[in-house]
Amino acid sequence: MLADHLPSALDLARSQFAFTVVWHFLFPAFTIGLASYLAVLEAFWLATDRPVYLDTYRYWLKVFAVAFAMGVVSGLVMSYQFGTNWSVFSDKTAPVLGPLLGYEVLTAFFLEAGFLGVMLFGMERVGPRLHFLATCLVAGGTLLSAFWILSANSWMQTPAGYSLDADGRFVPESWTAVNFNPSFPYRFAHTVTAAYLTTAMIVGAVGAWHLLRDRTNPRARLMFSMAMWMAALVAPVQMVLGDLHGGNSYHHQPAKVAAMEGHFDSVTRAPSILFGWPDAQAGETKYEIGIPGLASLYLAHDLDATVTGLKDLPRDTWPTNLPLVFWAFRVMVGLGLLMIGLGLWSLFLRYKGRLFETPWLHRFAVAMGPSGLIAVTAGWVVTESGRQPFTVYGLLRTADSVSPIAAPAVAASLAAFALVYFAVFGAGIWYLFHLFNQTPRPHESGPPVGQPVRTAGITPAPALAGDAHLQPAK
């Protein structure tokens, strides 16, 4: 019958959460790095008094405001899904995850919200140093938000510091162990660095786009130069962090790593399979092309190590979509290698004095603009799909976490989300591209130095008329 071939409520609930979280993750992955970039630009402006830093700051501040707003709006929806589609999961994990998510709101989100207005609109009113403090606090808030969210997610991957009560609910025993669970340090470092690289790729692409139009534009040159420094220095570091994270996953989530590598059999000197198609039914990766011994080297740091394959793990712990995990991992790694290549090429041309005179480098940088967003999305797919079939790894199955809700209801809300998201966020992304396409130009003079122009409160209109020099730039 037709009903036998339709997706279940569980499949639809997973698809809905995946759809909304991918949309949401695009914006924090960009704004985490962009907030820190703005803080660096403003620090350089205060230290050097060079207008080019302030001009570039103002250019990217508009972009940050739009991306931050879309990140907040897209994130609100996911919270409701915990109650509508995942009520059993919410009930069982609330004593652990509830406080973590609550602290994210009480600390990080309130910090960002409290100083975002000063950052966006207060430069002419609070003075440059206090404004710089607001920028730093917003940037710190984004990192603090990442801390709490990744702590919660990492606990779901490698649960620690808990006990189970009589009703099967997870109860915290040690908040230190909960927060700093075995995978958290690696996941936090890897994800935040990925956010910085994502921002570097976008800033570099925009700078390169404008250099192709006018290679003498000082603001475009600054954007491109700073982005290429980030790619040259941080992309290799990210490869090291990824290796450490992979080693941690190998010890704590062997089924995920076996799926990432496409290994069904446990073998010594395990090959690194570059291409292939994992077939769970056949129990093999078909059409594989690999490098002998390389997987043993980077997973166990021993060429003669034996790497565990899926066949030596319980069948009901295998990830439910092996090809998705396998290929998402290769997309992430492949783009990471391209970022390293871009950074090294830019470093060579910088040494030769041709960083701004090589159109092919600029075209490559433009093409790499979305690479960070694609890579972090692929990495998130590996993390979440590789954890299946569990929501709390090894302890709570996804099938046992879903709400008792009918498939048509989930399908209807999924369709509504798709329509609204593509319309609203599609328009927002189009507007971001409109901002990217605007040539970075000199702005009005920077904020006055010395004492703040006005203290908090409403400034009477006659006073503004009488003190024309105190009016904010138009």
Side-chain angles (χ1 to χ4, degrees):
M1 296 180 62
L2 179 61
D4 297 331
H5 300 282
L6 294 177
S8 65
L10 173 62
D11 294 332
L12 290 168
R14 289 182 60 191
S15 298
Q16 184 178 108
F17 200 85
F19 177 81
T20 53
V21 77
V22 165
W23 270 103
H24 170 67
F25 193 45
L26 294 175
F27 302 112
F30 179 34
T31 55
I32 288 172
L34 187 56
S36 295
Y37 178 57
L38 289 170
V40 171
L41 285 172
E42 192 166 8
F44 282 169
W45 172 66
L46 290 172
T48 65
D49 202 31
R50 291 178 56 193
V52 65
Y53 289 112
L54 181 59
D55 295 340
T56 307
Y57 175 92
R58 285 173 164 167
Y59 182 91
W60 285 103
L61 185 61
K62 295 179 293 184
V63 173
F64 178 80
V66 176
F68 185 86
M70 289 195 289
V72 171
V73 172
S74 61
L76 292 174
V77 175
M78 294 188 298
S79 301
Y80 289 100
Q81 291 179 71
F82 285 123
T84 57
N85 297 348
W86 302 100
S87 60
V88 179
F89 167 80
S90 299
D91 176 64
K92 291 185 178 297
T93 62
V96 172
L97 298 184
L100 297 181
L101 299 179
Y103 276 120
E104 191 268 338
V105 174
L106 290 174
T107 59
F109 185 75
F110 281 6
L111 184 65
E112 294 165 343
F115 288 92
L116 182 64
V118 178
M119 180 182 175
L120 296 178
F121 309 113
M123 184 170 281
E124 282 82 9
R125 296 188 177 278
V126 301
R129 289 173 178 79
L130 186 55
H131 184 272
F132 174 60
L133 176 62
T135 302
C136 291
L137 289 173
V138 171
T142 63
L143 294 174
L144 191 57
S145 178
F147 173 89
W148 291 115
I149 295 299
L150 290 170
S151 177
N153 181 265
S154 298
W155 183 86
M156 294 162 62
Q157 306 280 343
T158 52
Y162 70 92
S163 62
L164 291 173
D165 66 12
D167 297 324
R169 304 174 79 208
F170 297 90
V171 179
E173 294 289 340
S174 168
W175 282 111
T176 300
V178 167
N179 279 297
F180 299 96
N181 56 79
S183 67
F184 170 74
Y186 305 94
R187 196 179 308 278
F188 181 74
H190 190 57
T191 304
V192 170
T193 305
Y196 285 150
L197 283 173
T198 297
T199 301
M201 292 298 105
I202 295 174
V203 171
V206 174
W209 175 257
H210 293 293
L211 285 176
L212 290 170
R213 293 175 166 181
D214 176 13
R215 67 180 60 175
T216 65
N217 187 314
R219 289 151 294 280
R221 291 164 73 98
L222 177 66
M223 294 177 197
F224 187 68
S225 176
M226 294 180 74
M228 291 304 100
W229 274 122
M230 180 66 74
L233 299 177
V234 178
V237 173
Q238 178 71 325
M239 181 174 66
V240 175
L241 293 174
D243 176 71
L244 294 173
H245 188 18
N248 176 266
S249 298
Y250 177 67
H251 290 292
H252 292 279
Q253 295 178 296
K256 175 191 289 189
V257 174
M260 289 161 48
E261 297 294 334
H263 292 158
F264 284 87
D265 296 302
S266 299
V267 294
T268 303
R269 294 203 170 197
S272 176
I273 301 174
L274 303 180
F275 304 101
W277 189 262
D279 188 334
Q281 296 297 325
E284 62 176 338
T285 297
K286 297 181 177 179
Y287 323 114
E288 70 174 65
I289 300 174
I291 301 176
L294 184 58
S296 291
L297 187 61
Y298 60 67
L299 286 174
H301 297 164
D302 181 359
L303 186 63
D304 295 318
T306 299
V307 174
T308 303
L310 287 168
K311 289 182 179 179
D312 285 338
L313 300 170
R315 185 68 168 79
D316 61 357
T317 65
W318 293 13
T320 51
N321 193 329
L322 297 180
L324 179 64
V325 177
F326 180 86
W327 278 106
F329 178 68
R330 274 141 192 80
V331 169
M332 178 186 66
V333 173
L335 289 173
L337 292 175
L338 287 176
M339 292 178 196
I340 294 174
L342 174 63
L344 294 178
W345 188 13
S346 72
L347 200 60
F348 173 76
L349 292 176
R350 190 189 297 272
Y351 173 75
K352 292 291 186 178
R354 293 189 284 121
L355 181 66
F356 307 115
E357 319 298 330
T358 309
W360 277 110
L361 174 66
H362 304 157
R363 294 188 183 99
F364 183 28
V366 171
M368 287 291 290
S371 63
L373 295 172
I374 298 172
V376 296
T377 301
W380 199 255
V381 169
V382 172
T383 297
E384 300 308 302
S385 295
R387 185 185 59 202
Q388 296 301 318
F390 299 99
T391 49
V392 180
Y393 192 75
L395 299 170
L396 180 61
R397 289 186 169 273
T398 307
D400 299 326
S401 304
V402 70
S403 300
I405 189 172
V410 185
S413 59
L414 175 58
F417 278 138
L419 291 173
V420 173
Y421 270 54
F422 280 114
V424 174
F425 296 114
I429 292 173
W430 175 88
Y431 183 66
L432 285 177
F433 275 98
H434 172 72
L435 294 176
F436 294 156
N437 194 49
Q438 292 181 353
T439 302
R441 305 180 186 277
H443 288 231
E444 292 81 10
S445 59
V449 297
Q451 295 298 319
V453 174
R454 297 288 181 190
T455 56
I458 300 174
T459 304
L464 285 177
D467 297 329
H469 68 285
L470 299 182
Q471 297 187 42
K474 296 181 179 179

